[in-house]
Amino acid sequence: MLLKTILSFVLAISPAAAPATPDIPVAELHDRLTALATDRHITAGLIHVRTGTGQWSHAVGVRDLASGAPAAADGHFRIGSVTKTFAATVLLQLTDEGRLALDDPIERHLPGVVPDGGRITVRHILQHTSGLHDYMSEPGHSTNRWRADARFDDYTPSQLLKVAFAKGPDFENPGESWHYSNTNYVVAGLLVERLTGHPYGEEVARRILRPLHLTHTSVPGHRPSLPKPHARGYEPLPGTPPTIVDATDMDPSLDWAAGEMISTTRDLTTFVTALLKGRLTSQKSLTEMRRMREAVPLFRYGLGLQEFAIPCADGPKPVWGHTGQLIGYVTVAFTDGKGKSLTVSLNPYEQDPPTEAVLPMAKAVFCR
């Protein structure tokens, strides 16, 4: 059985036929994904690239370690924090409709919900400058960590906020600093629901998924499984060799509007491309989303958008989108806003794929 699994894994990452797409470096992208699988960084890797002349989807690796069946290029996966871009887009649409303003205090729309809500604005929430403590930094509350049977526990947004607010803010004055906090997007989800009277997931579907025909993207709520096809998500536990556990199934309510959504590489490419082309918000709102501030050395942050500078030979090329990580799945969705987009989904294996693993792929797509 072990030999069969190894042989199946090798066959699944062997070179595959790719369409002749002149401005997409399919051979290089395939080779880089295959190298990650060969080095046992990933069990599966999915990619979708779109340019002005065409698009290309591909997969390497296996759907699961038991059967060794090849991963599917149209496979579903948990997108983690890319969910934040969907939530932010809905709030910017509500801004376009005059339902709120970015500099409104949260207290105006969610009275009594957020401590110091009279000084924390919608902009602070969407840009991670509110200072609200990240509930996921508390023991047992991170979906990036193995939680055994606790991963099937149900949570409500109010429970998540209670955990966050028990610690007080990470900095005193809203807007004075930047600190990534999933708590912000739990507040964002509640804000959508208060303004519309509907669950935030219904608004995401009505305003984004259906208009863009993203039929393979969903807001799962408390559903623990993924639609088929999908590659299983694994997590290495400490040890020599590491123990590999299957982390695919889980109740994603611990993430809620901060990271619960499920999608495919093609759907995410369609989403980020449409957003940066101005198809989902007014130009004014898109400008606000792209108004960046320094965050960490790797990226700058706007309103639900990350900006990365891809180091090309003729100078850095900015791309926008979001990254996501939820146990078993790592996601990157970028676009240059000019017709080139890249989405990658990786399933970690014996060790998490290195942070810089996607950079050469991004350079191959955006620097050409």
Side-chain angles (χ1 to χ4, degrees):
M1 178 61 71
L2 178 60
L3 178 60
K4 178 182 176 182
T5 299
I6 292 173
L7 288 174
S8 298
F9 190 80
V10 171
L11 288 173
I13 63 175
S14 61
T21 312
D23 59 345
I24 299 177
V26 295
E28 178 180 354
L29 295 171
H30 168 82
D31 289 349
R32 291 193 178 280
L33 278 177
T34 300
L36 288 174
T38 302
D39 292 341
R40 302 172 77 86
H41 284 296
I42 62 173
T43 58
L46 283 56
I47 189 170
H48 187 84
V49 179
R50 183 172 299 173
T51 69
T53 62
Q55 53 187 328
W56 175 72
S57 294
H58 189 53
V60 304
V62 297
R63 293 191 191 190
D64 65 87
L65 293 174
S67 72
D74 61 347
H76 298 80
F77 52 89
R78 300 190 188 278
I79 70 173
S81 287
V82 185
T83 302
K84 293 178 173 68
T85 310
F86 285 87
T89 299
V90 171
L91 280 176
L92 268 295
Q93 290 177 343
L94 292 169
T95 300
D96 288 335
E97 295 165 12
R99 309 280 286 277
L100 81 165
L102 290 174
D103 294 316
D104 283 352
I106 290 298
E107 184 70 16
R108 180 176 302 173
H109 304 288
L110 294 173
V113 173
V114 178
D116 206 16
R119 294 200 302 153
I120 297 173
T121 68
V122 176
R123 187 187 303 276
H124 292 145
I125 291 293
L126 295 181
Q127 198 167 43
H128 295 296
T129 55
S130 67
L132 295 178
H133 182 68
D134 187 359
Y135 68 91
M136 282 199 185
S137 66
E138 295 305 303
H141 286 81
S142 173
T143 51
N144 287 340
R145 302 288 182 270
W146 176 246
R147 293 181 295 128
D149 289 344
R151 69 190 190 279
F152 296 109
D153 291 348
D154 284 334
Y155 293 87
T156 64
S158 60
Q159 288 175 312
L160 305 181
L161 294 185
K162 184 177 181 180
V163 172
F165 299 157
K167 287 289 184 167
D170 290 332
F171 46 87
E172 182 177 355
N173 297 311
E176 75 175 14
S177 187
W178 185 91
H179 186 262
Y180 194 89
S181 174
N182 291 283
T183 304
N184 288 312
Y185 278 79
V186 174
V187 175
L190 290 175
L191 190 54
V192 169
E193 296 192 343
R194 179 63 61 89
L195 292 169
T196 66
H198 304 131
Y200 100 91
E202 289 185 9
E203 289 298 311
V204 167
R206 183 174 73 85
R207 293 167 174 272
I208 301 174
L209 306 188
R210 289 197 286 272
L212 294 182
H213 306 289
L214 305 183
T215 56
H216 299 289
T217 303
S218 58
V219 182
H222 298 275
R223 187 180 73 240
S225 61
L226 277 75
K228 295 182 179 179
H230 62 263
R232 306 296 293 181
Y234 298 97
E235 175 71 5
L237 301 184
T240 307
T243 300
I244 307 299
V245 293
D246 189 328
T248 308
D249 295 334
M250 60 172 287
D251 183 321
S253 60
L254 183 54
D255 283 276
W256 202 53
E260 69 169 308
M261 290 179 64
I262 295 167
S263 191
T264 63
T265 56
R266 181 183 290 266
D267 269 13
L268 281 191
T269 298
T270 298
F271 169 61
V272 295
T273 301
L275 177 61
L276 269 294
K277 284 189 173 181
R279 292 177 53 194
L280 294 174
T281 68
S282 68
Q283 189 58 51
K284 178 181 177 182
S285 287
L286 181 58
T287 298
E288 292 293 340
M289 292 185 80
R290 291 173 57 175
R291 193 184 302 279
M292 300 288 159
R293 68 162 292 155
E294 297 303 321
V296 297
L298 189 62
F299 61 81
R300 301 196 304 157
Y301 207 91
L303 305 184
L305 277 180
Q306 293 170 307
E307 180 189 77
F308 293 80
I310 306 301
C312 300
D314 57 346
K317 299 287 180 66
V319 297
W320 296 269
H322 216 288
T323 56
Q325 183 170 6
L326 194 152
I327 191 168
Y329 300 90
V330 176
T331 306
V332 170
F334 294 156
T335 182
D336 66 359
K338 299 177 181 178
K340 291 184 177 182
S341 302
L342 166 70
T343 299
V344 178
S345 171
L346 303 175
N347 297 65
Y349 190 11
E350 290 185 347
Q351 51 191 320
D352 284 347
T355 303
E356 63 274 13
V358 178
L359 181 58
M361 300 183 217
K363 291 176 67 175
V365 172
F366 295 111
C367 294
R368 293 173 69 86

